[in-house]
Amino acid sequence: MTMMQASGRRPSRISAGTIGIYAFLLIAAVFFLLPAWIMLMTSLKPMEEIRLGNILMWPNAVTFEPWIRAWSEACTGLDCRGVSVGFWNSVRILIPSLILSIAAGAVTGYALSFWRVRGANVMFGLLLLGAFIPYQVFLYPLVRIFAVTGIYNSFACIVLVHVIFGLPIMTLLFRNYYASLPVELFKAARVDGGGFWSIFIRIILPMSTPILIVATILQVTGIWNDFLFGLTFAGRDNLPMTVQLNNIVSSRQGESQYNTEMAATILTAMIPLAVYFISGRWFVRGIASGAVKG
Amino acid sequence: MSSVSIRDLTVAFGSTRVLNGLSLDVQAGEFIVLLGPSGCGKSTLLNAVAGLLDVADGQVWIGERNVTWHEPKDRGIAMVFQSYALYPRMNVRNNMAFGLRMAKTPKAEIEERVTRAAELLQISHLLDRRPDQLSGGQRQRVAIGRALVRDAHVFLFDEPLSNLDAQLRNELRVEIKKLHQKIDTTTMIYVTHDQIEALTLADRIVVMKDQKIQQMGTPDEIYLHPANLFVAGFVGSPQMNFFEGELTGGPGGAAFKSGELHLPLDGYNFNSAPVTGQRLTLGIRPEHISITENGPWQGFKTELVETHGADNLIWVGGHNHSLRLRQPGDCKPALGSPLTLAPDMSHISLFDTQTSMRI
Amino acid sequence: MDSQITNAGRPRFRNLAAVIALIPATAAVVVVYIGCMLWTVRLSFTSSKLLPIFDWVGLSQYSRLFLNERFSVAVENIVIFGVLFIAGCLILGFLLAVFIDQKVRGEAVFRTIFLYPYAMSFVVTGLAWQWFLNPTHGVQKLGRDLGFENFTFNWLVTQDMVIYTIVIAAIWQGSGLVMCILLAGLRGVDESLWKAARVDGIPAWRYYLFIVLPLLGPMIVTAVVLLSISVVKLYDLVVAMTKGGPGIASDVPAKFVMDHFFERNNVGLATAAATMMLIAVASILAPWLYQTYIRPAGRVA
């Protein structure tokens, strides 16, 4: 009788545990992917096939017509110009809101972490508190204020709202980042004669690239995905894509064009998804750095 | 040339007072080292001189000017930090030129001053590199260069060598010393917790503990005539030997007695008249005890020999005392061998045990 | 080496430019966060309808609010939603994080799949699930096509069940966030703990449940806070998925407030409901905020 001596690499065995782990992860993946898959399939089918067929199935005849219709023909009430209108509105809202809210957050965070201003900590505490309060608490008075100042229902209005409500998270983000920079760097710049703005622009800002990326990711997805502010402040002519999408779906009359609606939905998700897939780990970092979102 | 004068300085963070009515005068061109353990207030003092902290009370004078309320840049100071604090996105040249640019110095002059400082510190070949492409020693050289181009009257060093490894530390220590010899009109204030740095660099050392100045004096004064037990124990490695005992005999025939150990004190230069029966602590540095045939202290035994290369540290015990002797490298008494010891009477220190002050 | 002390009093300079730089943020705090909040609270004590009027009717809007059937449905819904959504996200997120942490192949792919819904708008999520759960074309039809003639899944149009469909959609969107936070926590757990557990023969599930889970405490708190915020703000998802229907069956407070502001022109009642939301949030957050921000800040100052 020969004895097997244990020697060298242990023969690998696929244990029940390993199978269990993969089985769970795969089932979970199906759960997470299913809605997206169904949306995609629906958007590629003609209506007849949707009525008869299986929502999971690959289309018999792939058609891109719903996508074209969603982009340029879908109707919101009587206005049939497609979600492209909302898309461009969202772009026009996004760009100034993004730049201004990041600039405001960076400057505020910088001032809070390196400079002494009486009452600044109290102000910061209240700002953070503001991030947690439901927006419904502020909306109506804000509407009144904007109506009185005459900018209600305009681009300026929606941009201002995004900057105001982006301020807590942006400030927190930059303040925490700046607090992690070595203080001695700031001291050296002071001895070298740097002032508030020259230290910020020449020394602090060039070191801020990582946090600027995180802030951009957070704000692009946050502002693009906004529904409430767009609905309340943007005005009929400037409605962002999310609001327009919801209007298209809810104002349908007769049998809905499900394929067109799903194409429009995917189109609306496109920008944040692109940011998500491209940014990868940065997106995760954004979440980890204290995401207070929507 | 600028002297620095700190008058009744109080610094407070919130309700905690970090410095309380501290005064210190530094002469122009002097190299002063602030030495002390963590939290003794030495860095706070330095930052207050730099204008990087708010002063609650008192004044800071640099030269003939009261700079208490001046911005750091207007004080005629330059500062070198422990973490180098080089601006990470600028190359070495721009790091050094930043302060001059802020002061709107003409371009040609900036160029000239940077070049000169770089040559002095032998970093000319590094001028176009970024800080992350430099080694620790090079970074600290650049940081010193950045201070140098400011043509400041007062240099402030905040533990500049603490982040470097032992060898680099020794190298740069020598360079800082040479630098001060070259620009001897510059006053230097140097904060460290490393006593070797303090002893080697300083014209005068200021020993601090618990936010208070314990002693101020030349390295020799600090080392040989420590003003109190703290200074005696903090400065010197290996540490001074201490014996607790009491004073016996009258004046003239005064002696120190600790258990069976006895030491006549004729020739000791008393600061204040001793009283018979006074509780005393006797301090002797390890190198001030010799092994002889007929010394006053007999009956010690060798317990341990630590080889340090150039010299050896010999731990001996006896009469309920344990003490360290520093002996030349060829002195290696066998373990357990009996020893007779002779303290060098010109280098002993006596402290009042209660007040811990030198007497 | 006095860094503890110097850091405690981070060098902060008085400077006019710094004061000016903080003006916008201060204005936002004073005007919007404090001003508008107080204004809303004040309005809740008035009889305002379409436009605000500044009379004083005491608590009568509140008594009207508590008698309002729609508001009680909304409150009941948000409680059901809040409990199930937070619990669901935590459990699913924790499981996902633990399973992903098993050095699996394609970890990055799984992570990407589990988190992508979080990048999307609630409106998109709502519409996607509305389509998926739609009884005429969605899951129910799928089941019947597969041969289960009597398969029924019509929660989306059933008054008693509709809130649960919203819970499912929200968990789908939010559990990736929890996974992400907890995974970061798991990666921070000292690996020698697992080695020690293996040497001691502790099974993996016990290791995770009794050793790792308690270590994740702060991460779980963070996740719960973030999830709670989205519970209170829940609005877009309901609008897109059910419009609060069928009837008022899936109404939530945020939607109640919005509808009474802008459609039913009952500002008094809407502000009373908004104030109730404010109180609810404050009572949840006060202890957490105090512990996380105020206390350490107090120590630093």
Side-chain angles (χ1 to χ4, degrees):
Chain A
M1 194 176 116
T2 51
M3 273 266 284
M4 267 279 276
Q5 287 279 338
S7 160
R9 182 202 288 269
R10 183 156 63 174
S12 68
R13 264 173 301 161
I14 297 172
S15 67
T18 316
I19 294 173
I21 289 168
Y22 281 98
F24 175 83
L25 287 176
L26 285 172
I27 291 167
V30 168
F31 168 69
F32 280 95
L33 286 174
L34 206 56
W37 173 257
I38 290 168
M39 275 200 288
L40 189 63
M41 288 308 106
T42 306
S43 74
L44 295 173
K45 289 174 189 170
M47 275 312 289
E48 306 82 62
E49 197 181 332
I50 292 174
R51 258 176 247 121
L52 301 170
N54 180 324
I55 49 169
L56 289 177
M57 297 296 276
W58 181 260
N60 287 329
V62 173
T63 166
F64 291 101
E65 208 208 310
W67 286 72
I68 296 164
R69 254 187 296 140
W71 180 252
S72 54
E73 289 164 30
C75 299
T76 323
L78 297 174
D79 179 5
C80 293
R81 287 181 294 158
V83 285
S84 61
V85 180
F87 177 86
W88 292 115
N89 281 343
S90 277
V91 170
R92 269 183 290 170
I93 293 169
L94 175 66
I95 290 171
S97 305
L98 180 69
I99 293 169
L100 288 175
S101 66
I102 289 179
V107 171
T108 311
Y110 162 70
L112 283 171
S113 39
F114 291 117
W115 299 80
R116 174 178 302 176
V117 176
R118 192 179 292 269
N121 278 336
V122 176
M123 189 275 281
F124 180 59
L126 291 171
L127 195 64
L128 280 184
L129 223 54
F132 295 109
I133 295 174
Y135 296 131
Q136 280 76 15
V137 173
F138 310 115
L139 283 192
Y140 188 72
L142 264 186
V143 167
R144 301 301 308 166
I145 292 174
F146 287 133
V148 168
T149 49
I151 60 167
Y152 186 45
N153 284 345
S154 68
F155 267 120
C157 182
I158 178 74
V159 168
L160 189 58
V161 168
H162 277 305
V163 173
I164 289 172
F165 290 107
L167 204 50
I169 177 67
M170 288 296 109
T171 303
L172 180 70
L173 210 60
F174 281 97
R175 178 185 169 276
N176 287 354
Y177 179 75
Y178 290 147
S180 72
L181 296 181
V183 195
E184 294 190 336
L185 208 59
F186 178 75
K187 287 185 184 177
R190 288 290 294 166
V191 172
D192 272 344
F196 182 87
W197 291 109
S198 57
I199 293 178
F200 179 63
I201 290 166
R202 286 163 180 264
I203 301 196
I204 303 294
L205 211 51
M207 298 173 69
S208 306
T209 320
I211 204 68
L212 285 172
I213 295 175
V214 169
T216 306
I217 292 168
L218 274 182
Q219 286 300 82
V220 170
T221 49
I223 293 169
W224 192 273
N225 288 341
D226 158 68
F227 176 77
L228 184 65
F229 296 145
L231 181 69
T232 314
F233 294 101
R236 189 176 297 272
D237 298 328
N238 311 318
L239 291 179
M241 201 171 185
T242 48
V243 177
Q244 201 205 357
L245 171 70
N246 188 58
N247 287 350
I248 287 174
V249 175
S250 57
S251 73
R252 62 190 169 206
Q253 279 150 0
E255 194 201 39
S256 19
Q257 302 290 312
Y258 295 117
N259 48 7
T260 311
E261 287 171 7
M262 285 304 121
T265 308
I266 297 172
L267 282 169
T268 307
M270 217 66 124
I271 295 282
L273 281 181
V275 169
Y276 172 69
F277 287 119
I278 292 167
S279 63
R281 280 189 176 271
W282 288 94
F283 185 88
V284 176
R285 195 173 152 184
I287 290 176
S289 53
V292 185
K293 195 184 142 191
Chain B
M1 290 185 61
S2 286
S3 58
V4 175
S5 172
I6 292 144
R7 304 177 184 172
D8 293 324
L9 192 73
T10 297
V11 175
F13 297 137
S15 55
T16 1
R17 293 200 155 185
V18 185
L19 292 177
N20 202 352
L22 187 139
S23 294
L24 175 67
D25 278 296
V26 182
Q27 287 155 29
E30 201 177 10
F31 199 126
I32 282 275
V33 173
L34 304 179
L35 175 68
S38 292
C40 73
K42 56 192 193 298
S43 280
T44 309
L45 181 58
L46 196 74
N47 278 293
V49 172
L52 293 166
L53 287 176
D54 270 351
V55 168
D57 204 358
Q59 300 174 341
V60 178
W61 288 67
I62 294 179
E64 296 305 306
R65 295 187 305 151
N66 179 349
V67 296
T68 314
W69 290 346
H70 283 45
E71 287 283 299
K73 67 178 161 89
D74 301 326
R75 296 186 175 212
I77 55 150
M79 194 159 174
V80 177
F81 299 90
Q82 178 177 355
S83 65
Y84 326 126
L86 297 180
Y87 311 129
R89 303 283 152 189
M90 297 183 191
N91 64 19
V92 169
R93 187 189 308 277
N94 288 334
N95 257 287
M96 290 168 71
F98 182 73
L100 299 177
R101 286 215 186 113
M102 287 289 108
K104 307 225 160 36
T105 312
K107 269 216 164 114
E109 193 188 335
I110 295 181
E111 185 61 39
E112 191 213 310
R113 284 214 232 166
V114 169
T115 313
R116 204 176 52 206
E119 273 166 17
L120 197 61
L121 291 162
Q122 295 154 20
I123 48 173
S124 305
H125 60 296
L126 303 175
L127 282 177
D128 293 315
R129 297 217 194 147
R130 286 229 315 242
D132 54 8
Q133 298 164 316
L134 303 178
S135 69
Q138 289 171 330
R139 282 182 209 187
Q140 200 51 292
R141 256 173 237 257
V142 173
I144 294 171
R146 186 173 63 183
L148 215 51
V149 295
R150 288 178 58 78
D151 272 349
H153 300 295
V154 180
F155 267 46
L156 306 174
F157 291 91
D158 193 355
E159 307 229 8
L161 306 183
S162 301
N163 277 9
L164 301 173
D165 62 41
Q167 198 187 341
L168 266 173
R169 202 180 304 173
N170 294 342
E171 248 171 61
L172 267 169
R173 200 174 63 212
V174 173
E175 283 199 36
I176 290 174
K177 186 76 180 167
K178 282 187 186 159
L179 186 69
H180 184 234
Q181 285 165 355
K182 272 182 220 160
I183 49 169
D184 57 359
T185 54
T186 311
T187 310
M188 295 194 169
I189 305 181
Y190 187 107
V191 162
T192 184
H193 64 275
D194 181 326
Q195 42 157 327
I196 308 289
E197 276 173 34
L199 292 169
T200 51
L201 289 171
D203 293 330
R204 280 197 299 158
I205 296 175
V206 177
V207 183
M208 293 181 70
K209 184 203 168 201
D210 296 340
Q211 291 84 46
K212 288 195 184 64
I213 293 179
Q214 304 290 315
Q215 186 177 3
M216 188 170 9
T218 63
D220 281 346
E221 282 167 8
I222 300 279
Y223 190 74
L224 297 174
H225 300 283
N228 58 34
L229 276 173
F230 170 76
V231 176
F234 187 73
V235 179
S237 171
Q239 215 188 15
M240 195 180 241
N241 297 297
F242 293 110
F243 306 88
E244 286 191 20
E246 60 177 17
L247 193 75
T248 59
F256 172 81
K257 184 175 177 297
S258 169
E260 297 161 27
L261 279 187
H262 196 263
L263 190 66
L265 293 175
D266 32 284
Y268 182 77
N269 196 1
F270 282 102
N271 277 356
S272 54
V275 185
T276 307
Q278 191 177 358
R279 303 292 307 165
L280 292 182
T281 301
L282 169 71
I284 315 174
R285 296 214 176 271
E287 65 270 33
H288 295 145
I289 305 175
S290 45
I291 301 172
T292 54
E293 297 290 303
N294 49 359
W297 291 350
Q298 301 179 339
F300 281 94
K301 282 201 166 82
T302 309
E303 288 178 341
L304 183 72
V305 178
E306 277 183 56
T307 308
H308 283 185
D311 47 22
N312 291 336
L313 191 65
I314 298 158
W315 294 71
V316 302
H319 311 292
N320 292 324
H321 290 290
S322 172
L323 54 155
R324 299 168 288 273
L325 317 182
R326 182 188 263 172
Q327 297 293 323
D330 53 4
C331 173
K332 283 190 181 172
L335 288 191
S337 60
L339 294 174
T340 301
L341 307 176
D344 176 351
M345 287 310 292
S346 57
H347 285 131
I348 64 167
S349 298
L350 281 170
F351 306 94
D352 182 313
T353 307
Q354 264 184 335
T355 64
S356 87
M357 300 305 289
R358 184 185 190 86
I359 64 163
Chain C
M1 289 305 287
D2 296 3
S3 55
Q4 311 92 317
I5 291 171
T6 38
N7 276 348
R10 229 176 139 73
R12 305 259 297 265
F13 288 86
R14 296 175 205 288
N15 185 300
L16 188 63
V19 176
I20 294 169
L22 286 181
I23 286 176
T26 312
V29 167
V30 172
V31 176
V32 180
Y33 291 113
I34 298 177
C36 291
M37 185 168 76
L38 293 179
W39 194 345
T40 295
V41 174
R42 172 68 184 90
L43 283 174
S44 72
F45 297 108
T46 68
S47 60
S48 308
K49 285 289 182 191
L50 171 62
L51 289 173
I53 39 176
F54 284 92
D55 58 350
W56 182 268
V57 295
L59 292 171
S60 68
Q61 295 287 10
Y62 289 89
S63 45
R64 206 167 300 161
L65 186 69
F66 293 131
L67 293 175
N68 186 310
E69 195 213 333
R70 191 172 156 193
F71 188 70
S72 20
V73 171
V75 170
E76 193 185 314
N77 276 339
I78 204 68
V79 171
I80 295 173
F81 176 85
V83 170
L84 292 181
F85 167 68
I86 292 176
C89 280
L90 284 180
I91 293 169
L92 185 55
F94 179 67
L95 288 176
L96 292 174
V98 167
F99 279 84
I100 275 195
D101 198 33
Q102 304 306 310
K103 302 193 169 66
V104 292
R105 269 165 222 256
E107 178 197 314
V109 176
F110 282 118
R111 222 168 353 103
T112 309
I113 291 174
F114 299 151
L115 188 57
Y116 87 93
Y118 187 71
M120 303 199 303
S121 164
F122 278 119
V123 176
V124 171
T125 301
L127 294 178
W129 280 88
Q130 176 211 250
W131 171 236
F132 184 32
L133 298 181
N134 171 333
T136 339
H137 301 279
V139 176
Q140 180 171 303
K141 175 160 182 287
L142 199 64
R144 291 189 181 168
D145 286 352
L146 286 174
F148 304 99
E149 293 289 333
N150 296 319
F151 179 77
T152 308
F153 192 85
N154 56 359
W155 288 7
L156 192 67
V157 292
T158 312
Q159 295 218 344
D160 291 341
M161 303 308 281
V162 64
I163 190 66
Y164 302 106
T165 63
I166 294 173
V167 170
I168 293 171
I171 290 177
W172 177 79
Q173 167 143 10
S175 48
L177 168 74
V178 177
M179 171 206 73
C180 197
I181 293 172
L182 294 188
L183 193 57
L186 285 177
R187 296 281 147 92
V189 173
D190 186 357
E191 267 200 47
S192 51
L193 264 183
W194 171 227
K195 290 178 188 162
R198 267 183 72 174
V199 172
D200 289 345
I202 297 172
W205 66 271
R206 269 182 169 275
Y207 167 73
Y208 277 102
L209 214 52
F210 296 114
I211 298 175
V212 173
L213 198 56
L215 289 175
L216 295 180
M219 313 282 166
I220 292 172
V221 171
T222 307
V224 169
V225 169
L226 292 179
L227 295 174
S228 313
I229 292 170
S230 49
V231 169
V232 183
K233 290 183 174 169
L234 177 69
Y235 173 71
D236 321 7
L237 185 62
V238 175
V239 170
M241 208 163 147
T242 66
K243 297 196 197 76
I248 55 166
S250 60
D251 206 353
V252 288
K255 187 168 186 309
F256 180 92
V257 174
M258 292 298 286
D259 288 356
H260 282 78
F261 272 140
F262 300 111
E263 278 165 32
R264 306 181 66 127
N265 298 327
N266 193 341
V267 170
L269 195 64
T271 49
T275 307
M276 290 314 297
M277 289 175 75
L278 177 65
I279 292 171
V281 172
S283 54
I284 296 168
L285 279 175
W288 179 77
L289 274 178
Y290 176 78
Q291 197 170 341
T292 323
Y293 293 101
I294 312 290
R295 219 174 44 183
R299 199 176 54 219
V300 167

